[in-house]
Amino acid sequence: MNNGLMMTTAEQFLFWIIGPIIVLGASALLFSKRAVLTACSVMVTMVGLAFLYVGLGSPFLGIVQVVVYTGAIMMLFVFVLMLVGVDVSDSFIETIRGQRWAGVLLGLGLLVVLSGAVFRSTFTFAIGTDAASNGNNAGAVAHLLFSDFAFTLEITGCLLIIAAMGAVILTHRVRLTRPITQGEMMEIRTKRGMRLTPPPAPGNYARHNAADVPAIDARGKIIEDSVPSALRMRGQVHNLRGLPQDLLEDKVPPTRRPDAAAPAIEAGTAGSSDSAGPRDTGGPPEPGDTAGPEVKP
Amino acid sequence: MINNVVLAAEVAASQAAQMSWLVIAIPLASAGLLLLVGRAADKWGHLLGVTASAASFVVGAWAFVDLLSRPVAERVQDVTLFKWIPGGTFDLNMGIRVDQLSLTFVMLVTFVGTLIHIYSIAYMEHDRDRRRFFAYLNLFVAAMLLLVLADSYVVLFVGWEGVGLASYLLIGFWNHRLEYAVAAKKAFVANRVGDVGMIVAMMIMFSQFHALSFAGVFEAAEHASGATLTLIGLALLLAACGKSAQFPLQSWLGDAMAGPTPVSALIHAATMVTAGVYLVVRSGPIFEHTPAARLAVVTIGAITLLYGAIVGCAKDDMKKALAASTMSQIGYMMLAAGLGPVGGIFAIMHLVTHGFFKAGMFLGAGSVMHAMKDQVDMRRFGALNKAMKVTWLTFMMGWLAILGIPPFAGFFSKDKIIEQAFVAPEGQVWQGWVFGLVAMFGAGITAFYMSRLFFMVFQGKARWTDEQHPHESPGLMTVPMIILSLGSVFLGLILTVVKFDEYLAPALVEGHHGEPVMNAYVIMGATLALVVIGAWIAWSKFGSAKAVVPTLPPAADGLVRAAREDLYQDAINDALLVKPGQALVRGATKTDDDVVDGAVRGLAWVFQGMGSLVSRIQNGYARSYAATMLAGVILLAAIVLAGRM
Amino acid sequence: MTVSAYLILASVLFTIGTVTVMVRRNSIIVFMGVELMLNAANLAFLAFARMWGNVDGQLAAFFVMVVAAAEVVVGLAIIVSLFRTRRTVSVDDENLLRH
């Protein structure tokens, strides 16, 4: 692909298109508050790098880059972010005095040193990997991998197994109490007067069927429990604009609403399945039920 | 000029000489046994002690008779027992030298020692620690015998230290009394000062002569420089001063009376204080070539004999008066020993006779104390001649002997010393006059204070307290006193008749008899006259029927007050040595606390500060560590790059 | 344009990763910074592999990826278990070893 010291025009084109994208994606690490956004940007960077790898004459690694980094590693990151809390945004208020300036200055210093080393070096004529790959990059890599680097490969395999076991052990949690069986759960629910059936799916009878839109029962009452508890805890329940207008405006005119009702619905903080009780499930909307279905006694 | 026999004894030792190590071993083994067996030996411990001492005397006598049977040229025998300190090019052997001098001491120590042992059986009868006492006595005798039998200075030093240890143990035998324990400590410390001299002397010998045995040192001394020999001589003199209670290390002797009276007899008569004289006489080949050191010895001896005599005049404590007289008599011996080989012979002769009459007098004093309920104040005695006839008569023999009345023992030895003191070295006539007159005058004072002691104790009117009922001591005590008093009477005569000087002379360097600056008979006459005058003054003041001795010491002039206070020796020691020493120690402690410890603490403070400074980097933030690491990486990379430019 | 262009790009990426490690507090993002640094190294490996006409550099990059995968597994497991016990993913809060 490239036999000369200089890049070909196509490669230059590729480099100058992809390079800035890569740097831009990477810089999200420094400037993005939201971790998910950062992860996505880094994914872009990884894919961009995969392009460059292909351009550098190793299509095999380019594919591996996509599969391993973008497909596995970055997905793992996103999973963990979800686990930890996707909305956990990083505060940019520095707690260690001078740390940010030190980081920036040292980063600049590192850049100067590294690029100084690059600029001060003279590079030989780029041979290109065509001859070495012999038209079959993956085959060439495989040949080397299973001959000269066979032992390294074995050891790396060991490492992977150990790492997997380590992850299992690290995340393993010893159960401290006996798990509650299904029968016991039903007993508890009966005794406490809780709902016995599973909650309806979110968005049932509502205008939208997204996961954050609560279901509405046959009498037009909102069933808060239908929204997954994780969303409720985070206050991400939809603001119920999917409800029929009359239901909202007639029954609960803004002027007559108690102060707590609207914010409760907006924020979605009100209501939990434990204390909701049968009141949520049935009963026509009473004329005097001015507080709306979400207001708790 | 030097008798070769003394220098290198290459004579095959006789069987008796070969076996003479038993002289030391028997009492030593007995002491060890008595101390190890403990209370189980209480019933028979004293008998074992006496037996060991007597057995030692028998072996010594055997060696002595054997020695006499040998020709004169073969009498100095060195017996190597075993290789003690093998050191490559320098080997030190544990060995004994059997010759006329050492056997003289062996006979004196074992004979008088055995008598004192026997005496102690009765004297210590009511003491619950009598077995321990006998163990210490045996240890004392063994150490002294090792001292005199040693064939090198190092072996001698072992015995030297053993004597010091045993004296410490015995002086402080009743250490439940604080002042006795303090007295023991004082003796120990004073002796250590002397030991420094001994050690320095040995160091000089080792560095200069590369030898420590008598044979090696004496041979090397012939070719050594005068300065070296003078240094060695002065160091040895310091050692002798410590052990023999000579000026200025005399202060311990009076306090050493704290020990039981038999101990005092042993210390003053046969062992311990005679060691210094022995050392000087034994080291004759060294002193032979150094007139300066000899003059120092003579001067010390002269000072001490006057010092002791003056102190003795004022003491009311019977034992302390006797101690002062010992100091004075040892001063005579020192003076004689410093005069040269001939003087050395008379020093040893006086030492032997003194050993008998002084031991007799101390045992007599012990008998008096025994009778008077441990009273030692002479002002409370008087008229004991009727109550204690044996003690009185034996003490009288000792008294006449120390006065030098012919034909008692002291006359033959002390008169010779005085005569020798008048012998001046060539060109130094003043020395003859000065030391001769000092010795002669000292004899007069001796006569006064010894007569004072004798009259105050035995003559005059009884000044006893009410509860005192004097009685004669038991036979176990009186028999040794009688034997010793016989020695006091006849020993001088016997030694003169058997020509002790000719017997001893081959063991010493050859000397020449000088002529005294005065006629010898004039000296003898003048001395006797002074003695009689001194005794007469004492009689008129303390002994005659008209004399009144107050029971409390009367007011007196400055000299007497000073003498009562031992011429302020303790005050002087305190002011010159103890106080500055304590100040030095305090200063050293303060220096240690403030300077040395301060430096250490300061260093610690510096490092602590640095540590707390550096520990601020250790803030627990991984990001800070990362920054630090990166800084290091950048620095290293920059250095590498700069190096490649 | 030579191979140095790739190296400069790798340097930039590496620097960004480094600064991320130093500046960000969310341990997941910090971890991503580490991954970026590994990728920067991989880029340099591949650029040099091409320069020398040699597949060995590609092998090195391959192994880096494998090791990175292992590292991510363990690292994220650590982060998860830390979050479980301390309810935080901030690297500044994990300073128990200091005391």
Side-chain angles (χ1 to χ4, degrees):
Chain A
M1 183 155 53
N2 183 354
N3 292 328
L5 194 62
M6 306 294 287
M7 291 184 193
T8 60
T9 319
E11 197 192 345
Q12 280 201 21
F13 187 71
L14 183 71
F15 183 85
W16 286 115
I17 296 292
I18 304 256
I21 293 175
I22 290 174
V23 174
L24 211 61
S27 59
L29 279 170
L30 297 177
F31 304 115
S32 168
K33 269 191 177 181
R34 299 187 75 96
V36 178
L37 186 61
T38 311
C40 292
S41 307
V42 173
M43 265 186 259
V44 170
T45 304
M46 297 300 177
V47 173
L49 279 168
F51 278 97
L52 285 190
Y53 292 175
V54 174
L56 280 167
S58 56
F60 171 68
L61 277 182
I63 291 163
V64 170
Q65 169 82 0
V66 173
V67 172
V68 172
Y69 264 106
T70 319
I73 294 180
M74 291 319 296
M75 282 308 117
L76 210 54
F77 269 107
V78 174
F79 276 144
V80 172
L81 275 175
M82 292 300 168
L83 210 60
V84 168
V86 74
D87 62 316
V88 177
S89 57
D90 204 0
S91 163
F92 273 90
I93 299 165
E94 184 57 62
T95 47
I96 310 173
R97 200 157 54 89
Q99 173 72 17
R100 182 173 298 161
W101 288 111
V104 170
L105 284 177
L106 285 173
L108 284 177
L110 183 67
L111 194 60
V112 166
V113 167
L114 288 179
S115 47
V118 172
F119 282 126
R120 285 199 49 77
S121 310
T122 46
F123 297 100
T124 58
F125 194 78
I127 298 167
T129 50
D130 293 351
S133 299
N134 200 15
N136 182 3
N137 178 249
V141 170
H143 191 265
L144 206 56
L145 194 59
F146 291 107
S147 58
D148 289 2
F149 291 87
F151 186 63
T152 319
L153 185 72
E154 298 286 345
I155 291 185
T156 323
C158 289
L159 181 71
L160 279 176
I161 292 172
I162 293 168
M165 285 175 64
V168 169
I169 290 168
L170 277 171
T171 51
H172 179 70
R173 209 164 12 172
V174 179
R175 184 179 279 283
L176 298 173
T177 55
R178 190 173 59 82
I180 302 171
T181 63
Q182 207 169 6
E184 285 165 345
M185 178 59 79
M186 290 316 287
E187 245 175 67
I188 292 168
R189 284 183 180 168
T190 313
K191 270 183 192 161
R192 293 191 186 170
M194 289 157 65
R195 180 204 299 275
L196 296 177
T197 58
N204 203 3
Y205 293 129
R207 192 160 290 175
H208 309 287
N209 62 350
D212 61 344
V213 179
I216 295 172
D217 67 3
R219 294 171 191 164
K221 213 175 171 190
I222 291 167
I223 305 172
E224 185 77 10
D225 289 1
S226 58
V227 178
S229 58
L231 291 176
R232 272 184 283 147
M233 278 165 70
R234 290 185 203 146
Q236 288 178 332
V237 180
H238 197 269
N239 59 11
L240 300 187
R241 279 205 200 95
L243 285 177
Q245 287 295 315
D246 54 339
L247 232 163
L248 279 174
E249 285 165 11
D250 291 356
K251 293 288 179 190
V252 196
T255 48
R256 290 167 58 198
R257 252 184 225 168
D259 297 341
I265 294 170
E266 291 296 317
T269 49
S272 72
S273 60
D274 293 345
S275 55
R279 272 190 64 181
D280 292 351
T281 57
E286 306 286 322
D289 192 5
T290 52
E294 272 69 48
V295 177
K296 298 286 165 287
Chain B
M1 179 171 170
I2 302 291
N3 189 336
N4 286 327
V5 179
V6 185
L7 298 180
E10 291 177 358
V11 186
S14 69
Q15 199 190 354
Q18 301 258 8
M19 297 304 289
S20 50
W21 60 272
L22 280 171
V23 175
I24 306 161
I26 292 170
L28 191 63
S30 165
L33 191 71
L34 289 178
L35 287 176
L36 285 177
V37 172
R39 293 244 166 256
D42 273 355
K43 279 200 189 324
W44 43 268
H46 52 284
L47 297 177
L48 178 67
V50 173
T51 312
S53 184
S56 185
F57 170 70
V58 170
V59 176
W62 177 35
F64 184 63
V65 171
D66 179 75
L67 184 89
L68 290 180
S69 71
R70 294 167 72 89
V72 173
E74 293 179 14
R75 283 185 179 175
V76 178
Q77 304 162 75
D78 278 348
V79 181
T80 300
L81 297 176
F82 55 88
K83 192 172 278 188
W84 183 22
I85 305 174
T89 57
F90 176 81
D91 285 343
L92 190 65
N93 294 322
M94 174 65 85
I96 55 179
R97 165 169 283 205
V98 178
D99 66 356
Q100 295 92 324
L101 180 59
S102 63
L103 280 185
T104 304
F105 267 88
V106 167
M107 295 315 293
L108 174 70
V109 171
T110 54
F111 184 72
V112 176
T114 305
L115 289 179
I116 292 172
H117 273 73
I118 294 168
Y119 177 92
S120 302
I121 295 176
Y123 189 84
M124 300 294 285
E125 194 172 4
H126 303 297
D127 197 299
R128 55 195 293 271
D129 282 327
R130 182 166 66 167
R131 169 196 50 82
R132 189 161 60 89
F133 182 76
F134 272 86
Y136 292 162
L137 279 189
N138 272 338
L139 179 65
F140 208 163
V141 169
M144 188 65 195
L145 290 170
L146 180 63
L147 194 159
V148 295
L149 277 171
D151 76 336
S152 73
Y153 280 98
V154 180
V155 179
L156 183 147
F157 189 61
V158 175
W160 188 269
E161 289 302 304
V163 169
L165 168 69
S167 68
Y168 169 75
L169 292 172
L170 284 168
I171 294 169
F173 187 73
W174 289 320
N175 54 16
H176 47 268
R177 296 272 301 272
L178 178 65
E179 62 266 35
Y180 291 1
V182 169
K185 198 170 80 177
K186 190 176 178 185
F188 201 71
V189 170
N191 271 291
R192 294 292 79 73
V193 177
D195 291 347
V196 172
M198 189 77 197
I199 291 171
V200 168
M202 286 198 289
M203 286 172 178
I204 300 172
M205 286 173 201
F206 185 72
S207 68
Q208 296 298 314
F209 304 156
H210 206 62
L212 285 168
S213 68
F214 291 150
V217 170
F218 296 162
E219 194 174 354
E222 263 193 286
H223 318 292
S225 71
T228 308
L229 291 175
T230 304
L231 268 178
I232 295 176
L234 290 177
L236 288 174
L237 175 62
L238 177 61
C241 284
K243 202 56 92 187
S244 290
Q246 297 296 290
F247 183 85
L249 296 176
Q250 79 288 358
S251 66
W252 65 270
L253 194 67
D255 289 359
M257 293 302 112
T261 307
V263 175
S264 308
L266 202 56
I267 288 181
H268 288 252
T271 62
M272 189 82 179
V273 291
T274 58
V277 180
Y278 169 80
L279 183 71
V280 174
V281 174
R282 177 57 91 190
S283 306
I286 293 172
F287 285 100
E288 176 71 15
H289 298 287
T290 163
R294 277 213 311 279
L295 181 61
V297 174
V298 173
T299 309
I300 292 291
I303 291 173
T304 313
L305 86 85
L306 277 183
Y307 195 108
I310 291 169
V311 170
C313 290
K315 283 289 174 190
D316 289 334
D317 181 324
M318 177 171 54
K319 284 179 75 179
K320 291 204 168 166
L322 282 173
S325 100
T326 301
M327 199 193 293
S328 174
Q329 295 301 310
I330 302 286
Y332 271 108
M333 297 173 209
M334 272 294 183
L335 184 137
L339 288 173
V342 180
I345 291 169
F346 295 118
I348 298 300
M349 188 168 158
H350 190 54
L351 196 153
V352 173
T353 56
H354 174 260
F356 275 80
F357 61 68
K358 185 53 67 64
M361 281 195 281
F362 260 113
L363 296 189
S367 177
V368 169
M369 284 167 63
H370 194 72
M372 301 293 279
K373 294 192 188 307
D374 284 342
Q375 175 70 267
V376 289
D377 188 355
M378 294 192 291
R379 297 185 181 278
R380 281 291 174 188
F381 294 150
L384 284 177
N385 51 355
K386 298 185 180 61
M388 309 173 68
K389 280 216 158 19
V390 179
T391 307
W392 173 55
L393 282 171
T394 54
F395 203 96
M396 185 192 285
M397 298 304 120
W399 167 60
L400 291 170
I402 198 171
L403 255 56
I405 306 288
F408 293 94
F411 168 74
F412 294 96
S413 50
K414 197 157 89 177
D415 192 64
K416 287 286 184 190
I417 291 178
I418 296 170
E419 187 186 321
Q420 283 298 316
F422 274 104
V423 175
E426 276 176 47
Q428 306 284 342
V429 181
W430 63 272
Q431 281 189 23
W433 283 108
V434 169
F435 295 122
L437 287 175
V438 165
M440 187 188 273
F441 193 57
I445 305 176
T446 306
F448 169 73
Y449 72 79
M450 285 312 293
S451 305
R452 169 178 178 269
L453 188 152
F454 181 74
F455 295 144
M456 279 175 90
V457 173
F458 292 103
Q459 312 298 138
K461 299 186 183 67
R463 301 177 295 276
W464 314 332
T465 52
D466 293 342
E467 71 271 23
Q468 287 169 333
H469 308 290
H471 54 88
E472 189 52 86
S473 298
L476 273 176
M477 285 166 72
T478 50
V479 169
M481 285 153 58
I482 292 167
I483 295 171
L484 289 171
S485 71
L486 289 177
S488 311
V489 179
F490 300 113
L491 194 60
L493 190 63
I494 294 169
L495 287 180
T496 309
V497 168
V498 299
K499 295 195 187 326
F500 179 74
D501 51 345
E502 285 177 22
Y503 153 80
L504 190 62
L508 308 176
V509 291
E510 212 171 287
H512 58 282
H513 289 262
E515 280 303 312
V517 292
M518 277 203 291
N519 184 288
Y521 293 102
V522 175
I523 295 170
M524 192 187 296
T527 308
L528 279 175
L530 274 174
V531 165
V532 169
I533 291 169
W536 181 79
I537 295 173
W539 169 256
S540 62
K541 288 189 74 166
F542 302 104
S544 69
K546 291 180 289 181
V548 176
V549 180
T551 51
L552 283 174
D557 56 15
L559 182 61
V560 176
R561 281 205 305 275
R564 281 177 187 159
E565 292 294 320
D566 297 317
L567 297 181
Y568 302 119
Q569 60 185 12
D570 290 336
I572 290 166
N573 280 354
D574 261 7
L576 285 183
L577 301 172
V578 179
K579 292 267 163 54
Q582 285 171 340
L584 188 69
V585 169
R586 269 197 299 275
T589 311
K590 195 151 176 56
T591 309
D592 183 52
D593 279 352
D594 291 353
V595 179
V596 180
D597 286 6
V600 174
R601 272 196 294 271
L603 208 62
W605 182 81
V606 166
F607 280 109
Q608 204 175 19
M610 281 166 60
S612 59
L613 210 65
V614 173
S615 78
R616 288 168 65 180
I617 298 173
Q618 187 83 8
N619 55 8
Y621 292 115
R623 296 187 294 139
S624 281
Y625 302 163
T628 314
M629 275 170 66
L630 183 63
V633 168
I634 292 172
L635 195 68
L636 280 177
I639 289 169
V640 170
L641 284 180
R644 304 191 70 178
M645 275 178 186
Chain C
M1 282 299 292
T2 63
V3 71
S4 60
Y6 289 102
L7 295 181
I8 292 296
L9 179 62
S11 304
V12 170
L13 290 180
F14 193 89
T15 305
I16 291 173
T18 315
V19 177
T20 303
V21 170
M22 281 186 292
V23 172
R24 298 306 294 261
R25 267 179 295 170
N26 188 331
S27 54
I28 300 171
I29 294 178
V30 166
F31 209 5
M32 284 190 230
V34 174
E35 295 303 313
L36 189 67
M37 285 152 80
L38 288 171
N39 269 289
N42 274 358
L43 183 61
F45 267 127
L46 291 184
F48 282 120
R50 191 181 64 157
M51 189 176 93
W52 296 111
N54 197 330
V55 190
D56 286 15
Q58 299 183 5
L59 256 300
F62 175 76
F63 284 122
V64 168
M65 282 185 199
V66 176
V67 173
E71 176 220 336
V72 163
V73 168
V74 175
L76 287 178
I78 290 172
I79 288 171
V80 167
S81 60
L82 274 178
F83 179 74
R84 257 192 213 148
T85 52
R86 322 252 343 240
R87 310 306 295 179
T88 177
V89 289
S90 168
V91 287
D92 287 356
D93 294 340
E94 319 299 349
N95 56 2
L96 285 179
L97 275 181
R98 183 194 175 193
H99 305 293

